Amino acid sequence: MGVYFNPNNESFTCDKNSKIYVDKTGLLEYLNGVLGTNSKCISVSHARRFGKSHAAGMIDAYYSLGCDSTNLFQDTEIATKEDFKKYMNQYNVIHLDISSVWDFHKEDLVESIKERVCEDLKKVYGESLNYEKDLFLLIQEIYSRTNIPFVIIIDEWDCVIRNSEDEALVHKYLQFLHSLFKSEESKAFLALAYITGILPIKKIRDESALNNFREFTMLDSYPITEYYGFTEEEVRKLCGQYEMDFDTVKAWYNGYLIDDMHMYNPNSVSMAMDRHRFDSYWKNTSSFASINTYITMNYAGLKDDIMTMLAGGKVPVNTDTFQNDLFTISSKDDTLTALIHLGYLGYDYEEGCAYIPNYEVAKAYQAALNVGSWTEIAKSISRCDELLRATISGNEERVAELIELAHDTYTSILKYNDENSLSCVLTMAYFTAPGYYNVIREMPAGCKTSGGRLSCTDRSGTETGFADFVFIPRANAGKRPAMVVELKYNKSADTAIKQIKEKRYQGALSGYSDKILLVGINYDAEGEDKKKHTCVIEEWNE
């Protein structure tokens, strides 16, 4: 039993004993299926806090000879499989966290890694091994003595690649990895390699240290997608257990669409359940400064695309040009792809588009903009809460004024010449509203809400058309009213209110028993000396 060689099961024991634990041991069945095959080298590159290190601790506990994990796994999914005990605690395991070594040994990284592992080996084999040998030769000698294959786990393997431009150091590190994973000796002793990182594997010149790895990324993780992040079914179960509103959790933490599966940020969901409060938890564990670094890069069309996504849209992105390197970003597509891998954008594989996945990430962009160079946009977003309060309180003049200011900010980016463009600007103006409301654009008049949920059926008669915006309060909205917002272009705000009543758009909120506001907003493009926006707000009474 050691820290690096044949670790115990303490890491997984801590995870399993945690207040919130979701069983991901099904991953072990997949790994058992690739042991000792040509698919035995696995690389998982996902955003931070998506369960990579949790899986590493679980792999330790299951395969390591340094512990007996029979009771620990007894009530898990893997225990129901026929080969459950066949592979459990049968392998020599080496587990390295490169980031912890890198922090203190940048210049002698490889030597320090070997030294740490050898300290553990000496506890078992004493002076019977020649510790002057390269690490892979020591492993080979142990295998020849015991005939017990090795499972090698390297967490944060790409720490060196992401943080160093020293080609000599990177080359030496990759040669070290080559000896562990692709040398003639490793073909015999290696049963499984599991490495984790933030970015996919970068191919560096003629280096081939990791080209035999099967990669699982934020773009494509099939067939192990469900084991990194929380699935929708798992989140529903947690919401029932902790009495949290599922629709609100979905708005805050859902949105990562990987292999057609909706995946949730597990750290944020767990924090929300534990604290029983919705907040942006991920920003406390990951550097949001990188958002500003990338979104303010001066590539043609990048700012427009970022604004489109902030306004709720999707933008096409070519992910094939990205070199899996944060030092060589050279285009808009590279920038967007980097943000996808870092978890700051979602990716729709079928459409080939990027988007902002949820409200938590949208809040991260808001925080990043507040300290960045897009000062006018940041200033406009900072007024969103005031706009929401002014709308709720019925302050028509202030609402019109704040929308006017939003128009001045976004008009050069979002083409502002029709009602659809006005909708985009309104989405930005009410940027913080999704934290409290389910905001639905262009909702059919025949739709209804019940218990905060939306359902639509085919209808005939006078209830035709689409309400531009419907604001349905979430469970955490307090006493905020429901709202129907209708937009007009070169008409009048009164006309907008009239249309709401005639089309009975407010009927969509018939399942909502508290206050309902009807909000009409008009943009008048004519005349330079008068305010272009007007607003009328009425409380609906049956």
Side-chain angles (χ1 to χ4, degrees), residues 146-164:
T146 64
N147 204 34
I148 299 173
F150 276 72
V151 170
I152 299 179
I153 303 162
I154 299 185
D155 219 356
E156 298 275 7
W157 84 268
D158 64 338
C159 177
V160 182
I161 311 299
R162 286 186 283 112
N163 293 293
S164 178

Side-chain angles (χ1 to χ4, degrees), residues 149-401:
F150 276 72
V151 170
I152 299 179
I153 303 162
I154 299 185
D155 219 356
E156 298 275 7
W157 84 268
D158 64 338
C159 177
V160 182
I161 311 299
R162 286 186 283 112
N163 293 293
S164 178
E165 294 185 87
D166 184 337
E167 292 188 11
L169 188 153
V170 170
H171 174 76
K172 184 176 182 179
Y173 175 64
L174 289 175
Q175 288 300 104
F176 167 72
L177 297 180
H178 182 281
S179 69
L180 293 179
F181 301 130
K182 217 180 172 194
S183 64
E184 287 301 314
E185 290 80 5
S186 68
K187 290 178 182 178
F189 66 66
L190 186 65
L192 176 71
Y194 174 86
I195 66 174
T196 76
I198 304 298
L199 298 177
I201 294 171
K202 178 177 175 59
K203 310 303 187 294
I204 301 177
R205 293 185 181 179
D206 297 326
E207 304 283 4
S208 59
L210 302 175
N211 65 3
N212 58 327
F213 275 74
R214 183 174 181 185
E215 294 193 70
F216 301 91
T217 74
M218 294 293 284
L219 301 177
D220 180 10
S221 288
Y222 183 84
I224 61 174
T225 308
E226 64 186 289
Y227 303 118
Y228 297 92
F230 286 170
T231 67
E232 196 150 276
E233 180 182 351
E234 290 165 345
V235 174
R236 279 188 185 276
K237 185 176 179 179
L238 287 171
C239 286
Q241 183 180 350
Y242 288 90
E243 298 181 341
M244 295 285 279
D245 179 64
F246 171 72
D247 290 331
T248 306
V249 173
K250 186 173 184 177
W252 272 85
Y253 309 118
N254 181 30
Y256 296 98
L257 187 65
I258 310 174
D259 303 310
D260 293 326
M261 294 186 70
H262 287 274
M263 301 305 296
Y264 291 65
N265 183 318
N267 178 73
S268 298
V269 171
S270 296
M271 292 291 285
M273 299 295 156
D274 184 42
R275 298 189 178 185
H276 218 261
R277 183 167 61 89
F278 299 104
D279 204 345
S280 183
Y281 296 107
W282 197 30
K283 68 183 179 183
N284 298 323
T285 59
S286 183
S287 173
F288 285 114
S290 55
I291 294 180
N292 230 309
T293 300
Y294 297 123
I295 67 176
T296 56
M297 287 181 168
N298 191 28
Y299 296 122
L302 178 59
K303 188 172 185 177
D304 290 356
D305 281 358
I306 295 296
M307 291 306 303
T308 296
M309 290 187 289
L310 287 173
K314 294 183 177 181
V315 298
V317 56
N318 179 5
T319 60
D320 295 333
T321 63
F322 185 54
Q323 297 298 305
N324 303 340
D325 184 349
L326 300 180
F327 293 115
T328 57
I329 291 176
S330 58
S331 69
K332 178 186 73 171
D333 286 327
D334 286 353
T335 303
L336 297 179
T337 306
L339 289 168
I340 291 169
H341 287 298
L342 292 169
Y344 302 140
L345 290 177
Y347 180 68
D348 187 322
Y349 185 88
E350 293 299 321
E351 295 184 18
C353 288
Y355 59 92
I356 293 178
N358 54 49
Y359 185 63
E360 180 182 41
V361 175
K363 290 281 285 181
Y365 279 84
Q366 179 186 3
L369 288 169
N370 281 336
V371 295
S373 60
W374 291 4
T375 54
E376 289 304 313
I377 292 172
K379 188 183 299 182
S380 184
I381 291 177
S382 71
R383 293 190 286 255
C384 292
D385 285 334
E386 183 187 356
L387 174 62
L388 191 58
R389 290 194 299 269
T391 307
I392 291 170
S393 64
N395 190 339
E396 298 169 342
E397 288 190 10
R398 185 56 178 161
V399 169
E401 182 180 351

Side-chain angles (χ1 to χ4, degrees), residues 1-2 5-9 60 63-68 89 91-93:
M1 180 190 300
F5 176 62
N6 283 340
N8 58 31
N9 55 24
D60 280 348
Y63 290 115
S64 175
L65 277 168
C67 54
D68 180 357
N89 303 134
Y91 294 86
N92 282 320
V93 171

